[in-house]
Amino acid sequence: MSTVYVNEPPTAGKVVLHTTFGDVDIELFSREAPKACRNFVQLIMEGQYDSTVFHRVIRGFMVQGGDPTGTGSGGQSVWGKPFKDEFHSRLKFSHRGRVAMANSNVPNSNRQQFFITLDKASHCDGKYTIFGKVSGPTIFNVLRIGEVDVDGDDHPEETVRIEGAEVLWNPFDDIVPRSQVKELTAAEKAEQEEERRKEERRKRRRKTKDSKLLSFGDDEAQETRTVAVPTPAAAEAAPAPGVRTSGLAPPPDVFLEPEDDE
């Protein structure tokens, strides 16, 4: 047994499930199963496991939970769809306390439900993603859950509930619960609306200012139209730099129309 633990990769991350049978501490293999661990951590942060039950118990094998419907057919991943299996050569169902994703008995169908083994379960190797292990003496609380009486469908006759869950060590510092994302979006919308109002006020001020500038331009244009046009002889007598003096100048009040904007 000691060899098994020596060959096992180190954990990175820890959560606790507060159940009606006592706390269950779970250390995470977040490097070996990053998707499963990220999914599990975020669901806990969002309260998705609160008040759910362990709906299936098979004595000597495992306890299964995490379904918000309590039927064994519900639950969804944080991505809104199943995610891929994550198998690692150093993670096997070699002893009790393995925490793994439940699936639909087909590859890459992991969502929200999970199970905890009560003993060695080598037949599960390569079929279910191991993403954590129960640590310390809290394994005995799991074993107590595994001893409850069940009906013919492996449903516990006594309710075993996850009253709440906490993330004690989050290995993913970029996780933002989806409920907080909605709040941030609402705040951003309020900020954007305020910025839009400020921009409208700036536009109104610019429009007022431009109107005043345009009135000055009209006066200048009027002054330009009243200036007498010099005769060709006078122009030749005193030429302006860079201006041709041959030919007739255009008569007053004749202006080139600007090109139409395409």
Side-chain angles (χ1 to χ4, degrees):
M1 183 65 70
S2 60
T3 303
V4 171
Y5 286 104
V6 168
N7 291 333
E8 189 175 274
T11 57
K14 187 175 182 179
V15 305
V16 57
L17 306 180
H18 303 297
T19 80
T20 50
F21 277 60
D23 288 351
V24 177
D25 293 335
I26 299 174
E27 296 181 11
L28 303 174
F29 297 109
S30 57
R31 287 181 285 264
E32 291 72 24
K35 284 185 177 294
C37 289
R38 176 179 286 271
N39 182 67
F40 193 60
V41 168
Q42 183 166 339
L43 288 172
I44 288 176
M45 294 173 68
E46 295 175 352
Q48 296 297 317
Y49 291 123
D50 295 355
S51 300
T52 61
V53 299
F54 284 96
H55 62 272
R56 189 180 183 205
V57 174
I58 301 179
R59 185 165 296 184
F61 174 31
M62 63 87 189
V63 298
Q64 182 175 341
D67 178 5
T69 69
T71 63
S73 60
Q76 189 56 274
S77 75
V78 296
W79 300 286
K81 60 183 179 181
F83 59 92
K84 292 184 178 181
D85 296 321
E86 297 171 300
F87 303 132
H88 194 275
S89 60
R90 295 172 63 190
L91 291 177
K92 303 293 184 182
F93 289 93
S94 52
H95 55 85
R96 67 190 184 188
R98 289 304 200 195
V99 185
M101 295 301 303
N103 60 34
S104 303
N105 292 321
V106 295
N108 307 318
S109 57
N110 307 290
R111 294 185 295 173
Q112 182 171 342
Q113 296 183 42
F114 64 93
F115 66 93
I116 304 173
T117 58
L118 302 172
D119 204 342
K120 181 178 179 179
S122 300
H123 62 285
C124 292
D125 289 339
K127 297 179 181 178
Y128 303 94
T129 296
I130 298 172
F131 65 89
K133 67 176 183 179
V134 177
S135 61
T138 63
I139 183 63
F140 296 108
N141 293 333
V142 177
L143 296 179
R144 286 176 55 225
I145 296 173
E147 294 174 355
V148 300
D149 294 331
V150 298
D151 61 19
D153 295 321
D154 301 322
H155 298 155
E157 295 182 350
E158 177 183 358
T159 300
V160 184
R161 188 180 308 280
I162 299 175
E163 296 179 321
E166 294 180 75
V167 179
L168 303 179
W169 172 15
N170 186 355
F172 308 103
D173 57 7
D174 61 334
I175 289 180
V176 178
R178 286 169 289 183
S179 57
Q180 291 186 17
V181 171
K182 292 179 182 178
E183 292 174 3
L184 288 173
T185 301
E188 288 175 350
K189 287 182 178 179
E191 184 178 350
Q192 291 174 358
E193 177 64 19
E194 179 61 24
E195 185 60 31
R196 184 186 66 80
R197 292 175 181 174
K198 289 180 180 179
E199 181 61 26
E200 287 182 352
R201 289 194 292 268
R202 286 193 292 266
K203 286 181 178 179
R204 286 196 294 268
R205 287 195 296 267
R206 285 198 299 266
K207 186 176 181 181
T208 302
K209 184 177 179 181
D210 290 345
S211 298
K212 294 179 180 179
L213 290 175
L214 286 173
S215 65
F216 295 153
D218 290 340
D219 294 341
E220 293 175 355
Q222 183 63 29
E223 292 175 2
T224 301
R225 288 193 293 269
T226 59
V227 174
V229 178
T231 61
E236 289 178 355
V243 178
R244 293 182 59 189
T245 59
S246 61
L248 296 176
D253 298 327
V254 176
F255 301 96
L256 296 177
E257 294 292 334
E259 296 181 355
D260 293 334
D261 294 332
E262 293 297 331

